[in-house]
Amino acid sequence: MANAKLELNGTTTELPVMTGTEGEVGIDIGKFRKDTGAIMLDPGFGNTGSCTSAVTFIDGEAGILRYRGYNIEDIAEEARFPEVCYLLINGQLPTKDQLEQFREDLTYHSLIHEDMKKFFEGFPPTAHPMAILSSMVCSLSTYYPEGRDGEDVELNIVRLLAKAKTIAAFAYKKSIGQPFIYPRNELSYAANFVNMMFAVPAEPYEVNPVLESALNKLLILHADHEQNCSTSTVRVVGSSQANLFASIAAGICALWGPLHGGANQKVIEMLELIKNDGNDYKKYVALAKDKDSDFRLMGFGHRVYKNFDPRARILKKACDEVLAELGVKDPLLDVAKSLEEVALSDSYFKDRNLYPNVDFYSGIIYRAMGIPTNMFTVMFALGRLPGWIAHWKEMRDDPAMRISRPRQIYTGETVREFVDINKR
Ligand code: SDX
């Protein structure tokens, strides 16, 4: 494609243009600052790309999401989470033997060092599990410092994937004052997590296959989403050559925000508020439209999707299926569906292309599974781990990658004399 041309104060700069494998066009603006001294300004990076990537493709207009070229609809139906982790991190679906070996690695690295259990004693019982998860993941770097050669990184990737679910389950047990339940080697990734969450030493516990399959689908649907806030955070932190655990811990913190992964917890709190207010969802739709109120419909809207988030479509269907299979009737699901119906018929939402996103229905399923609301964003983080790792690795393996260091436009005081405190 022909170069782009940008003219400023009489200087015209030709800027190379690149086209991605799905026809997306990007203009390399590197030369422009050299020619004119001017930078591009794009608060929130809504129109700016930070990198090229082969991990995930999203078409926001068409509502398409593909992991390494595979449609999310197919993967969510057919695959198991370890298979999706392997695909995202290595770029190809594993053979049977490769998957067997990967599963075995994840199984045999799922324990955390016994001394790490002491860290939990320092947290108050009310500690938010996202704070525990990010601190414990960063602390893994004290037990597994990254070596200079690739072997440590590959092993640390397996350790992180395997241990994060154990840390998450221990955080839950800590919050309810129950003893930690250790991983069991004969269980699948999802079943192991369910067992560590809900088993108690006093009696035998059988993992309900409905919970195992629902969790498997939820983890897959959250596994990656290209350059979202937390993944961009992982890339920025990793670009300074910070180790894997430190980079991922930063991503966990970014995900915690209510505008990002923290939204799934806020959605449930919003639905409960509406239910307790006589199911007056029209009042809350009106509030969400009112510029003078800071109320937003949590779980609605997306920076990229200007159509239905394909994950929300899959989760809405899974809600009905999982709740029916578990024999759970949740009034919040009816509130969610009514809210969606009213909002999607309202021009304020339609004009702004505001549709339910991945967080709108996921919490209903987590609730039906018995997972407490403050663990919802931890569940999102467990799912997003392979995506974060895949992007961290892609960035670190890219010879063209430099440390991330955006520019700014200064709007503060111009130069002024310093006056001694005794003369002020
Ligand atoms: C995730 O990026 C990813 O891929 C993220 C994610 C992933 O998988 O990693 O998909 C996961 O984070 C999903 C999003 C979860 N967050 C929420 O559900 C919180 C509620 N949604 C919003 O706060 C908002 O929609 C965002 C944060 C998701 C997107 O914000 P943008 O792109 O910055 O859009 P904006 O805030 O500029 O809104 C544009 C307009 C504004 O109105 P106007 O100024 O044009 O009049 O839409 C309005 C906003 O007021 N708007 C909403 C709204 N979201 C946007 N109005 C009411 N309710 C909402 N939820």
Side-chain angles (χ1 to χ4, degrees):
M1 184 177 284
N3 286 351
K5 284 198 181 80
L6 201 48
E7 193 269 329
L8 179 67
N9 302 336
T11 303
T12 300
T13 304
E14 290 234 353
L15 299 169
V17 172
M18 75 154 300
T19 306
T21 47
E22 290 284 351
E24 296 169 307
V25 174
I27 301 171
D28 180 339
I29 56 163
K31 264 172 77 358
F32 191 67
R33 194 175 64 79
K34 286 192 193 99
D35 283 5
T36 66
I39 65 163
M40 301 295 171
L41 208 52
D42 184 21
F45 311 118
N47 311 287
T48 307
S50 61
C51 62
T52 58
S53 175
V55 179
T56 289
F57 171 67
I58 301 176
D59 179 330
E61 274 58 42
I64 291 171
L65 168 58
R66 295 193 193 121
Y67 296 163
R68 299 283 188 183
Y70 296 97
N71 281 319
I72 190 65
E73 293 79 4
D74 302 336
I75 292 183
E77 274 317 306
E78 324 270 334
R80 313 294 302 163
F81 183 59
E83 201 177 355
V84 174
C85 294
Y86 188 101
L87 169 67
L88 285 168
I89 293 167
N90 299 296
Q92 303 300 331
L93 283 170
T95 61
K96 269 205 176 121
D97 293 347
Q98 288 167 330
L99 182 57
E100 228 12 76
Q101 183 56 58
F102 187 60
R103 274 207 168 103
E104 206 176 284
D105 293 344
L106 293 181
T107 298
Y108 289 101
H109 286 278
S110 49
L111 275 176
I112 60 173
H113 193 292
E114 279 295 295
D115 288 350
M116 287 195 87
K117 284 173 34 182
K118 295 189 187 97
F119 293 17
F120 286 89
E121 290 158 26
F123 294 116
T126 52
H128 196 290
M130 282 296 274
I132 297 177
L133 184 65
S134 57
S135 355
M136 294 298 284
V137 163
C138 196
S139 305
L140 286 171
S141 60
T142 63
Y143 285 80
Y144 312 107
E146 186 184 333
R148 293 312 323 152
D149 58 53
E151 163 60 18
D152 287 355
V153 170
E154 292 307 321
L155 181 53
N156 280 346
I157 286 172
V158 166
R159 283 173 170 143
L160 176 56
L161 281 168
K163 298 176 193 307
K165 70 178 181 304
T166 308
I167 292 169
F170 282 11
Y172 171 61
K173 286 300 194 188
K174 151 104 193 161
S175 72
I176 56 174
Q178 282 189 3
F180 295 154
I181 298 295
Y182 279 57
R184 282 171 33 193
N185 289 351
E186 79 280 12
L187 296 178
S188 73
Y189 188 98
N192 227 335
F193 178 75
V194 171
N195 186 65
M196 289 191 281
M197 283 284 286
F198 301 121
V200 286
E203 56 196 31
Y205 177 81
E206 197 63 34
V207 174
N208 181 336
V210 174
L211 295 188
E212 178 183 9
S213 132
L215 180 60
N216 182 65
K217 182 173 282 187
L218 281 157
L219 292 170
I220 288 172
L221 288 171
H222 287 83
D224 192 49
H225 215 239
E226 53 129 285
Q227 304 308 319
N228 58 83
C229 176
S230 54
T231 301
S232 299
T233 301
V234 169
R235 278 178 169 265
V236 168
V237 172
S239 75
S240 74
Q241 297 197 353
N243 68 65
L244 172 73
F245 302 116
S247 304
I248 301 298
I252 294 169
C253 294
L255 185 74
W256 194 0
L259 292 188
H260 191 12
N264 56 18
Q265 178 173 342
K266 293 294 174 197
V267 167
I268 293 299
E269 289 164 10
M270 173 186 75
L271 294 175
E272 277 172 338
L273 174 74
I274 295 171
K275 183 170 84 60
N276 299 337
D277 192 0
N279 273 355
D280 187 355
Y281 37 81
K282 291 188 175 136
K283 168 181 161 187
Y284 290 90
V285 168
L287 261 180
K289 292 160 58 178
D290 177 359
K291 288 300 161 202
D292 297 332
S293 105
D294 55 8
F295 179 83
R296 285 200 158 186
L297 280 195
M298 300 313 275
F300 255 76
H302 199 277
R303 174 63 60 79
V304 176
Y305 288 123
K306 298 311 166 198
N307 192 322
F308 236 91
D309 180 336
R311 302 166 298 176
R313 217 192 287 277
I314 295 168
L315 284 166
K316 183 176 177 181
K317 184 165 161 281
C319 266
D320 292 329
E321 290 160 358
V322 173
L323 269 67
E325 283 160 356
L326 292 173
V328 168
K329 264 224 58 60
D330 186 346
L332 294 191
L333 179 55
D334 303 331
V335 176
K337 287 183 175 175
S338 311
L339 196 55
E340 176 191 345
E341 201 181 312
V342 168
L344 295 188
S345 59
D346 186 302
S347 59
Y348 172 91
F349 293 87
K350 287 197 292 191
D351 295 350
R352 292 167 177 79
N353 298 308
L354 301 177
Y355 294 89
N357 58 48
V358 68
D359 293 311
F360 191 63
Y361 284 106
S362 54
I364 305 271
I365 301 177
Y366 291 136
R367 256 162 72 93
M369 293 171 67
I371 293 173
T373 310
N374 72 348
M375 280 286 289
F376 287 6
T377 312
V378 167
M379 302 309 295
F380 192 144
L382 289 183
R384 186 52 52 90
L385 262 182
W388 286 333
I389 292 167
H391 284 277
W392 183 86
K393 204 164 170 283
E394 182 180 63
M395 180 267 309
R396 292 286 287 261
D397 293 347
D398 178 356
M401 203 55 216
R402 307 162 68 201
I403 186 168
S404 291
R405 203 268 182 233
R407 299 277 175 160
Q408 64 160 29
I409 295 295
Y410 176 70
T411 54
E413 298 282 347
T414 53
V415 67
R416 48 186 175 166
E417 286 298 304
F418 178 81
V419 179
D420 184 89
I421 185 81
N422 300 310
K423 296 184 187 124
R424 251 175 265 164

